[in-house]
Amino acid sequence: MSGSAPKYTVADLLPRIQQNIDNMEYPAAYAFCSKALELDPTNAEILEITGQVEMELERFAEAREHLLAAIHQSPESGYSKYMYLGQLSVEKEAIAAFEKGVDLMLKEHAAAPAGSDDHIMLAAKIASALCSMTEIYLTDLCFEPDAESRCEEYLSKAQQISPETPEVYQLLASVRLSQMRNDDAASALQQSMALWMNKEFGDPAIPIYDSRLSLVRLLLELEMFEQAFTVLEGLQKENDQVVDLWYLYGWAYYCLGEDEQRSPEERQGHWEDARDCLETAVKLFHVIGSDDQAMFEHAQELIASINSVVPPSAPEEEVEVNDEIDSDDDDDAMEM
């Protein structure tokens, strides 16, 4: 009897796909996905997982095609495919995808025992999806006549279902700023920070690094400098090799130097601190790069502005930016 290749079933391939996804071995996962689709091209689960892997591989057109096929096969179960499709879509198409996903999550949330891990997890995911929808109406759909009411509706629902999610109140602050309601924006930020500021490092309640950078931008816009420096110091301890971190440090000190109510000595000191931070941002930009060219140019403009008022001291020996900036020295330099 002649030998033949081993015969796999979709059930055999699913654990292999998931294992490779867990190990971030996406090309290998994709190979198993392709084999599974050959065996069962209308399997909704395989279609969705294939789309997920293709998103990781930046094969967005194929991912969209497979997610839509998964939705066609199973439109009323499985919220995650709608969340993925929302990420691949824009404007009202994205809103429609997120809305359907939220509807399905709400049904699962209602069926889960109150206080259970699933109940809490689904609440957080629903709030996150509602925040994504709000951001679309703050940006791409901001000129729609119902944009403001949509933002209010989504954030109100998010607060009701997941009142412990900092992202909700931070986004609410952005909405209030767009409405020129600065006091309400500041109150929303205080509410957001109160949910995590006293948590130990690594606590899942602490927002991700990029979210906290966005928080600093909002704090600076509202001239909440003390809170901004507190957040920046935490970010610095976590990872000090980030261009945005030092740019925001510099921008904060620059703003303090612009305060005419302070003494000339204080203003000069703040400008000098701003220059040190901005120069670090520029050095890091050259070493590790950044997608934000405008931020880099603004940092250079601020340095030039400071130099016109507070000339730099005699040049010292150049210190290379390496993998480890001396945190103790930086902490000393960051004193207000």
Side-chain angles (χ1 to χ4, degrees):
M1 189 170 109
S2 60
S4 60
K7 293 183 178 180
Y8 295 106
T9 66
V10 170
D12 295 327
L13 293 170
L14 273 171
R16 294 169 180 254
I17 295 170
Q18 192 58 54
Q19 182 180 9
N20 281 289
I21 290 174
D22 293 342
N23 294 332
M24 294 189 288
E25 297 288 346
Y26 297 112
Y30 185 66
F32 285 118
C33 285
S34 299
K35 180 63 177 174
L37 283 177
E38 289 177 11
L39 295 171
D40 190 354
T42 61
N43 184 303
E45 183 178 9
I46 291 297
L47 286 165
E48 179 182 341
I49 293 175
T50 301
Q52 176 189 346
V53 171
E54 286 166 335
M55 288 177 68
E56 296 292 345
L57 295 172
E58 299 186 358
R59 303 176 68 156
F60 300 121
E62 295 101 317
R64 180 181 177 80
E65 180 182 339
H66 284 122
L67 290 168
L68 287 171
I71 288 169
H72 178 75
Q73 294 296 326
S74 181
E76 297 302 325
S77 65
Y79 62 83
S80 56
K81 56 182 175 286
Y82 289 101
M83 297 295 100
Y84 290 128
L85 182 62
Q87 294 174 42
L88 292 174
S89 306
V90 296
E91 300 183 353
K92 291 188 176 180
E93 187 179 13
I95 292 292
F98 284 131
E99 281 182 339
K100 182 62 177 180
V102 167
D103 287 344
L104 293 175
M105 283 192 283
L106 284 169
K107 291 177 182 177
E108 290 191 28
H109 182 261
S116 66
D117 288 345
D118 282 349
H119 193 263
I120 296 169
M121 177 270 293
L122 283 164
K125 286 190 174 184
I126 293 167
S128 180
L130 289 166
C131 285
S132 295
M133 294 157 70
T134 303
E135 287 174 339
I136 292 170
Y137 272 102
L138 276 176
T139 53
D140 297 347
L141 296 177
C142 63
F143 294 112
E144 290 291 313
D146 62 343
E148 185 171 352
S149 63
R150 289 277 192 156
C151 290
E152 297 288 351
E153 174 192 349
Y154 296 149
L155 289 177
S156 177
K157 287 181 178 178
Q159 289 176 69
Q160 290 172 17
I161 199 160
S162 187
E164 301 296 310
T165 300
E167 177 188 6
V168 174
Y169 303 99
Q170 184 170 320
L171 191 54
L172 178 61
S174 293
V175 173
R176 295 292 176 257
L177 271 170
S178 72
Q179 298 167 331
M180 302 185 71
R181 294 167 57 180
N182 287 15
D183 288 344
D184 291 335
S187 177
L189 288 185
Q190 294 281 19
Q191 195 168 1
S192 176
M193 290 185 291
L195 293 169
W196 63 268
M197 283 291 284
N198 294 322
K199 303 287 187 182
E200 292 293 329
F201 176 75
D203 191 295
I206 299 176
I208 62 171
Y209 197 99
D210 285 348
S211 178
R212 282 175 282 153
L213 286 173
S214 298
L215 168 61
V216 172
R217 289 184 169 90
L218 292 172
L219 291 168
L220 294 181
E221 191 168 349
L222 290 166
E223 299 184 354
M224 298 171 69
F225 296 109
E226 182 178 351
Q227 295 90 334
F229 279 110
T230 298
V231 178
L232 284 168
E233 287 162 9
L235 290 166
Q236 181 185 350
K237 290 175 182 176
E238 187 172 327
N239 182 2
D240 62 6
Q241 298 289 291
V242 178
V243 178
D244 301 57
L245 169 72
W246 294 103
Y247 165 77
L248 290 171
Y249 255 134
W251 179 233
Y253 279 118
Y254 183 87
C255 290
L256 291 178
E258 289 287 280
D259 184 359
E260 295 181 355
Q261 301 300 313
R262 297 176 183 272
S263 69
E265 292 78 12
E266 282 184 295
R267 296 179 70 188
Q268 178 172 331
H270 288 316
W271 276 326
E272 289 173 346
D273 287 339
R275 179 167 53 207
D276 289 343
C277 295
L278 292 166
E279 287 176 347
T280 299
V282 169
K283 289 176 183 177
L284 279 171
F285 182 91
H286 288 303
V287 174
I288 61 178
S290 169
D291 294 331
D292 196 339
Q293 181 69 27
M295 179 180 64
F296 170 69
E297 293 172 358
H298 188 225
Q300 292 182 307
E301 290 170 7
L302 292 175
I303 291 170
S305 175
I306 294 168
N307 287 344
S308 68
V309 179
V310 184
S313 56
E316 298 178 359
E317 185 178 345
E318 185 71 16
V319 178
E320 294 184 6
V321 177
N322 52 39
D323 291 338
E324 293 187 5
I325 294 178
D326 191 328
S327 297
D328 292 335
D329 290 345
D330 288 331
D331 289 340
D332 293 340
M334 295 301 113
E335 295 294 329
M336 284 183 64

